[in-house]
Amino acid sequence: MQNVYKIVSSFEANCPAKFVMKDGKKQKEVTIGIWNPEPDDRDDLYVCLFNPAEYETPGLNDWDDALDVFQMDDILTPDAYGQLQSALFDYEAHFEIALTEKDFSIHPTEILDDELKGESAKEQMRSNEKEQQFDMEM
């Protein structure tokens, strides 16, 4: 099975859409918010992606330190980015945009692989926090 990539509307105030990726082999799905803090700014669409290198840096205290900000126009081709902008700003209907690898400026499999690593790392961090809380209560 192939990986699946799509963008779906969420119409939340600062996060009007979600970038959804599904791993074809493992059948795991990752959803990342597409942020737009200033709704009047069509060019301020971004995602926060997991950076495995930052996560492995000693002394990481906060999950946010393992995330990098990427503008969507750096991730998508100009045509795909224009389609996203149009869907978000020109219509008031829910939408789903199916993406193929040719719609990306960077290889989407790398993004998906990193995000799957991020999901696993986040679970590990939560587990470690629970262990620390349990140890403190003892």
Side-chain angles (χ1 to χ4, degrees), residues 26-64:
K26 300 174 188 166
Q27 293 297 302
K28 287 191 174 187
E29 188 172 280
V30 177
T31 301
I32 302 166
I34 297 177
W35 298 94
N36 179 235
E38 298 193 30
D40 295 334
D41 188 351
R42 294 174 67 106
D43 292 319
D44 192 18
L45 300 172
Y46 68 90
V47 290
C48 296
L49 300 177
F50 180 73
N51 182 336
E54 289 294 325
Y55 178 73
E56 294 167 3
T57 303
L60 180 76
N61 295 323
D62 188 357
W63 178 253
D64 291 341

Short mmCIF file of all heavy atoms in Angstrom, two decimals, residues 26-64:
data_model
loop_
_atom_site.label_atom_id
_atom_site.label_comp_id
_atom_site.label_asym_id
_atom_site.label_seq_id
_atom_site.Cartn_x
_atom_site.Cartn_y
_atom_site.Cartn_z
N LYS A 26 2.44 0.53 7.76
CA LYS A 26 2.05 0.37 9.16
C LYS A 26 0.59 0.76 9.42
O LYS A 26 0.07 0.51 10.49
CB LYS A 26 2.95 1.22 10.05
CG LYS A 26 4.41 0.86 9.95
CD LYS A 26 5.25 1.84 10.75
CE LYS A 26 6.72 1.57 10.48
NZ LYS A 26 7.56 2.67 10.94
N GLN A 27 -0.02 1.44 8.44
CA GLN A 27 -1.41 1.92 8.57
C GLN A 27 -1.58 2.86 9.77
O GLN A 27 -2.64 2.90 10.39
CB GLN A 27 -2.38 0.74 8.67
CG GLN A 27 -2.46 -0.08 7.40
CD GLN A 27 -3.00 0.74 6.22
OE1 GLN A 27 -4.08 1.29 6.29
NE2 GLN A 27 -2.22 0.83 5.17
N LYS A 28 -0.51 3.60 10.09
CA LYS A 28 -0.59 4.60 11.15
C LYS A 28 -0.83 5.96 10.52
O LYS A 28 -0.25 6.29 9.49
CB LYS A 28 0.70 4.64 11.96
CG LYS A 28 0.88 3.45 12.86
CD LYS A 28 2.02 3.68 13.81
CE LYS A 28 2.08 2.54 14.81
NZ LYS A 28 3.06 2.80 15.84
N GLU A 29 -1.70 6.74 11.16
CA GLU A 29 -2.05 8.05 10.65
C GLU A 29 -1.52 9.13 11.59
O GLU A 29 -1.58 8.98 12.81
CB GLU A 29 -3.57 8.16 10.53
CG GLU A 29 -4.03 9.40 9.82
CD GLU A 29 -5.51 9.38 9.54
OE1 GLU A 29 -5.92 8.73 8.55
OE2 GLU A 29 -6.25 10.01 10.31
N VAL A 30 -1.02 10.20 10.99
CA VAL A 30 -0.52 11.35 11.74
C VAL A 30 -1.27 12.58 11.23
O VAL A 30 -1.38 12.77 10.01
CB VAL A 30 1.00 11.53 11.54
CG1 VAL A 30 1.49 12.76 12.26
CG2 VAL A 30 1.77 10.30 11.97
N THR A 31 -1.75 13.39 12.14
CA THR A 31 -2.45 14.62 11.78
C THR A 31 -1.72 15.80 12.40
O THR A 31 -1.44 15.80 13.60
CB THR A 31 -3.91 14.59 12.27
OG1 THR A 31 -4.56 13.46 11.69
CG2 THR A 31 -4.65 15.85 11.89
N ILE A 32 -1.43 16.81 11.57
CA ILE A 32 -0.70 17.99 12.01
C ILE A 32 -1.54 19.21 11.66
O ILE A 32 -2.04 19.34 10.54
CB ILE A 32 0.66 18.08 11.29
CG1 ILE A 32 1.49 16.84 11.55
CG2 ILE A 32 1.42 19.33 11.71
CD1 ILE A 32 2.67 16.70 10.63
N GLY A 33 -1.67 20.12 12.59
CA GLY A 33 -2.41 21.34 12.34
C GLY A 33 -1.68 22.27 11.38
O GLY A 33 -0.46 22.41 11.45
N ILE A 34 -2.43 22.88 10.48
CA ILE A 34 -1.90 23.93 9.62
C ILE A 34 -2.36 25.24 10.25
O ILE A 34 -3.56 25.52 10.31
CB ILE A 34 -2.40 23.80 8.17
CG1 ILE A 34 -1.91 22.48 7.56
CG2 ILE A 34 -1.93 25.00 7.33
CD1 ILE A 34 -2.41 22.22 6.16
N TRP A 35 -1.41 26.00 10.73
CA TRP A 35 -1.70 27.20 11.51
C TRP A 35 -1.77 28.43 10.63
O TRP A 35 -1.04 28.57 9.65
CB TRP A 35 -0.64 27.37 12.60
CG TRP A 35 -0.65 26.22 13.55
CD1 TRP A 35 0.14 25.11 13.49
CD2 TRP A 35 -1.52 26.03 14.64
NE1 TRP A 35 -0.19 24.24 14.50
CE2 TRP A 35 -1.21 24.79 15.23
CE3 TRP A 35 -2.53 26.80 15.20
CZ2 TRP A 35 -1.88 24.30 16.33
CZ3 TRP A 35 -3.18 26.31 16.32
CH2 TRP A 35 -2.85 25.07 16.87
N ASN A 36 -2.64 29.34 11.03
CA ASN A 36 -2.78 30.64 10.37
C ASN A 36 -3.20 31.64 11.45
O ASN A 36 -4.37 31.93 11.63
CB ASN A 36 -3.84 30.57 9.26
CG ASN A 36 -4.06 31.89 8.56
OD1 ASN A 36 -5.16 32.38 8.50
ND2 ASN A 36 -3.01 32.47 8.04
N PRO A 37 -2.21 32.17 12.20
CA PRO A 37 -2.54 33.03 13.34
C PRO A 37 -3.20 34.35 12.96
O PRO A 37 -3.88 34.95 13.77
CB PRO A 37 -1.20 33.26 14.02
CG PRO A 37 -0.18 33.00 12.98
CD PRO A 37 -0.78 31.98 12.05
N GLU A 38 -3.00 34.79 11.72
CA GLU A 38 -3.63 36.02 11.26
C GLU A 38 -4.51 35.69 10.06
O GLU A 38 -4.02 35.62 8.93
CB GLU A 38 -2.58 37.06 10.92
CG GLU A 38 -1.75 37.44 12.13
CD GLU A 38 -0.92 38.67 11.90
OE1 GLU A 38 -1.33 39.53 11.11
OE2 GLU A 38 0.14 38.74 12.52
N PRO A 39 -5.80 35.46 10.29
CA PRO A 39 -6.70 35.00 9.24
C PRO A 39 -6.73 35.85 7.97
O PRO A 39 -7.12 35.36 6.92
CB PRO A 39 -8.07 35.00 9.92
CG PRO A 39 -7.76 34.87 11.37
CD PRO A 39 -6.46 35.59 11.58
N ASP A 40 -6.31 37.10 8.05
CA ASP A 40 -6.29 37.94 6.85
C ASP A 40 -5.03 37.75 6.01
O ASP A 40 -4.93 38.27 4.91
CB ASP A 40 -6.40 39.42 7.25
CG ASP A 40 -7.75 39.73 7.88
OD1 ASP A 40 -8.73 39.00 7.59
OD2 ASP A 40 -7.83 40.69 8.66
N ASP A 41 -4.06 37.01 6.55
CA ASP A 41 -2.78 36.82 5.85
C ASP A 41 -2.77 35.45 5.16
O ASP A 41 -2.51 34.43 5.77
CB ASP A 41 -1.62 36.93 6.84
CG ASP A 41 -0.27 36.94 6.17
OD1 ASP A 41 -0.19 36.68 4.95
OD2 ASP A 41 0.74 37.19 6.88
N ARG A 42 -3.04 35.45 3.87
CA ARG A 42 -3.09 34.22 3.08
C ARG A 42 -1.74 33.51 2.99
O ARG A 42 -1.67 32.33 2.65
CB ARG A 42 -3.57 34.52 1.67
CG ARG A 42 -5.00 35.00 1.58
CD ARG A 42 -5.35 35.43 0.17
NE ARG A 42 -5.37 34.33 -0.77
CZ ARG A 42 -6.47 33.79 -1.28
NH1 ARG A 42 -7.65 34.27 -0.94
NH2 ARG A 42 -6.41 32.81 -2.14
N ASP A 43 -0.67 34.24 3.25
CA ASP A 43 0.67 33.66 3.10
C ASP A 43 1.28 33.18 4.41
O ASP A 43 2.42 32.74 4.44
CB ASP A 43 1.62 34.69 2.45
CG ASP A 43 1.23 34.96 1.01
OD1 ASP A 43 0.88 33.99 0.30
OD2 ASP A 43 1.25 36.13 0.60
N ASP A 44 0.53 33.26 5.50
CA ASP A 44 1.07 32.83 6.79
C ASP A 44 0.45 31.50 7.20
O ASP A 44 -0.24 31.39 8.20
CB ASP A 44 0.82 33.90 7.86
CG ASP A 44 1.62 33.63 9.13
OD1 ASP A 44 2.59 32.86 9.08
OD2 ASP A 44 1.26 34.19 10.18
N LEU A 45 0.70 30.48 6.39
CA LEU A 45 0.23 29.12 6.68
C LEU A 45 1.45 28.28 7.00
O LEU A 45 2.38 28.18 6.21
CB LEU A 45 -0.50 28.54 5.47
CG LEU A 45 -1.73 29.32 5.00
CD1 LEU A 45 -2.24 28.74 3.68
CD2 LEU A 45 -2.81 29.28 6.05
N TYR A 46 1.45 27.66 8.19
CA TYR A 46 2.63 26.90 8.57
C TYR A 46 2.25 25.67 9.41
O TYR A 46 1.15 25.58 9.92
CB TYR A 46 3.64 27.78 9.31
CG TYR A 46 3.18 28.24 10.67
CD1 TYR A 46 3.45 27.50 11.82
CD2 TYR A 46 2.48 29.43 10.84
CE1 TYR A 46 3.04 27.92 13.06
CE2 TYR A 46 2.06 29.86 12.08
CZ TYR A 46 2.35 29.09 13.19
OH TYR A 46 1.94 29.51 14.43
N VAL A 47 3.22 24.77 9.52
CA VAL A 47 3.10 23.58 10.36
C VAL A 47 4.32 23.50 11.26
O VAL A 47 5.38 24.04 10.95
CB VAL A 47 2.98 22.28 9.53
CG1 VAL A 47 1.66 22.20 8.80
CG2 VAL A 47 4.14 22.12 8.57
N CYS A 48 4.17 22.82 12.37
CA CYS A 48 5.28 22.55 13.27
C CYS A 48 5.59 21.06 13.14
O CYS A 48 4.77 20.22 13.51
CB CYS A 48 4.92 22.91 14.70
SG CYS A 48 4.60 24.65 14.95
N LEU A 49 6.76 20.76 12.60
CA LEU A 49 7.14 19.37 12.34
C LEU A 49 8.20 18.89 13.32
O LEU A 49 9.08 19.67 13.74
CB LEU A 49 7.68 19.22 10.91
CG LEU A 49 6.71 19.61 9.79
CD1 LEU A 49 7.40 19.49 8.43
CD2 LEU A 49 5.46 18.75 9.83
N PHE A 50 8.15 17.61 13.65
CA PHE A 50 9.10 17.00 14.56
C PHE A 50 10.48 16.93 13.91
O PHE A 50 10.61 16.55 12.75
CB PHE A 50 8.62 15.58 14.92
CG PHE A 50 9.54 14.86 15.87
CD1 PHE A 50 9.60 15.23 17.19
CD2 PHE A 50 10.33 13.83 15.42
CE1 PHE A 50 10.45 14.56 18.08
CE2 PHE A 50 11.18 13.15 16.29
CZ PHE A 50 11.24 13.52 17.62
N ASN A 51 11.50 17.29 14.68
CA ASN A 51 12.88 17.23 14.22
C ASN A 51 13.63 16.20 15.08
O ASN A 51 13.97 16.50 16.24
CB ASN A 51 13.54 18.60 14.35
CG ASN A 51 14.96 18.61 13.85
OD1 ASN A 51 15.63 17.58 13.81
ND2 ASN A 51 15.44 19.78 13.48
N PRO A 52 13.88 14.99 14.56
CA PRO A 52 14.54 13.96 15.36
C PRO A 52 15.90 14.40 15.91
O PRO A 52 16.27 14.04 17.02
CB PRO A 52 14.70 12.79 14.39
CG PRO A 52 13.69 13.02 13.33
CD PRO A 52 13.54 14.51 13.22
N ALA A 53 16.64 15.19 15.15
CA ALA A 53 17.97 15.64 15.61
C ALA A 53 17.83 16.52 16.85
O ALA A 53 18.62 16.41 17.80
CB ALA A 53 18.68 16.40 14.50
N GLU A 54 16.83 17.40 16.87
CA GLU A 54 16.61 18.27 18.04
C GLU A 54 16.17 17.43 19.23
O GLU A 54 16.56 17.71 20.36
CB GLU A 54 15.55 19.33 17.74
CG GLU A 54 16.00 20.40 16.79
CD GLU A 54 17.11 21.27 17.35
OE1 GLU A 54 17.13 21.55 18.57
OE2 GLU A 54 17.97 21.68 16.56
N TYR A 55 15.35 16.43 18.98
CA TYR A 55 14.85 15.58 20.07
C TYR A 55 15.99 14.85 20.76
O TYR A 55 15.97 14.64 21.97
CB TYR A 55 13.82 14.58 19.54
CG TYR A 55 13.30 13.65 20.59
CD1 TYR A 55 12.41 14.10 21.56
CD2 TYR A 55 13.71 12.32 20.65
CE1 TYR A 55 11.92 13.25 22.55
CE2 TYR A 55 13.23 11.47 21.63
CZ TYR A 55 12.36 11.94 22.57
OH TYR A 55 11.87 11.11 23.56
N GLU A 56 17.00 14.47 19.98
CA GLU A 56 18.13 13.71 20.53
C GLU A 56 19.15 14.60 21.21
O GLU A 56 20.11 14.11 21.80
CB GLU A 56 18.77 12.89 19.42
CG GLU A 56 17.81 11.81 18.91
CD GLU A 56 18.26 11.16 17.61
OE1 GLU A 56 19.35 11.49 17.10
OE2 GLU A 56 17.49 10.32 17.11
N THR A 57 18.97 15.92 21.17
CA THR A 57 19.88 16.84 21.82
C THR A 57 19.77 16.69 23.33
O THR A 57 18.66 16.71 23.87
CB THR A 57 19.55 18.30 21.43
OG1 THR A 57 19.61 18.41 20.01
CG2 THR A 57 20.49 19.29 22.07
N PRO A 58 20.90 16.55 24.03
CA PRO A 58 20.85 16.42 25.49
C PRO A 58 20.20 17.65 26.13
O PRO A 58 20.37 18.78 25.66
CB PRO A 58 22.33 16.34 25.90
CG PRO A 58 23.06 15.94 24.66
CD PRO A 58 22.26 16.48 23.51
N GLY A 59 19.45 17.42 27.18
CA GLY A 59 18.85 18.51 27.93
C GLY A 59 17.53 19.01 27.38
O GLY A 59 17.07 20.08 27.79
N LEU A 60 16.92 18.26 26.50
CA LEU A 60 15.61 18.67 25.97
C LEU A 60 14.59 18.65 27.11
O LEU A 60 14.37 17.63 27.73
CB LEU A 60 15.16 17.73 24.86
CG LEU A 60 13.80 18.03 24.22
CD1 LEU A 60 13.95 19.24 23.29
CD2 LEU A 60 13.28 16.85 23.47
N ASN A 61 14.02 19.80 27.40
CA ASN A 61 13.09 19.90 28.52
C ASN A 61 11.64 20.00 28.08
O ASN A 61 10.74 19.71 28.84
CB ASN A 61 13.42 21.14 29.37
CG ASN A 61 14.76 21.01 30.03
OD1 ASN A 61 15.15 19.94 30.45
ND2 ASN A 61 15.47 22.12 30.11
N ASP A 62 11.42 20.45 26.89
CA ASP A 62 10.07 20.75 26.46
C ASP A 62 9.85 20.16 25.06
O ASP A 62 10.72 20.28 24.20
CB ASP A 62 9.88 22.27 26.44
CG ASP A 62 8.45 22.69 26.20
OD1 ASP A 62 7.58 21.81 25.99
OD2 ASP A 62 8.19 23.89 26.21
N TRP A 63 8.68 19.57 24.86
CA TRP A 63 8.37 18.96 23.57
C TRP A 63 8.50 19.97 22.43
O TRP A 63 8.96 19.66 21.35
CB TRP A 63 6.96 18.37 23.60
CG TRP A 63 6.56 17.79 22.30
CD1 TRP A 63 5.68 18.30 21.40
CD2 TRP A 63 7.08 16.60 21.70
NE1 TRP A 63 5.60 17.49 20.29
CE2 TRP A 63 6.46 16.44 20.45
CE3 TRP A 63 8.01 15.66 22.09
CZ2 TRP A 63 6.73 15.38 19.61
CZ3 TRP A 63 8.28 14.60 21.24
CH2 TRP A 63 7.64 14.47 20.02
N ASP A 64 8.09 21.21 22.69
CA ASP A 64 8.14 22.25 21.66
C ASP A 64 9.56 22.47 21.13
O ASP A 64 9.73 22.92 20.00
CB ASP A 64 7.58 23.57 22.18
CG ASP A 64 6.08 23.50 22.42
OD1 ASP A 64 5.43 22.58 21.86
OD2 ASP A 64 5.55 24.34 23.16
#
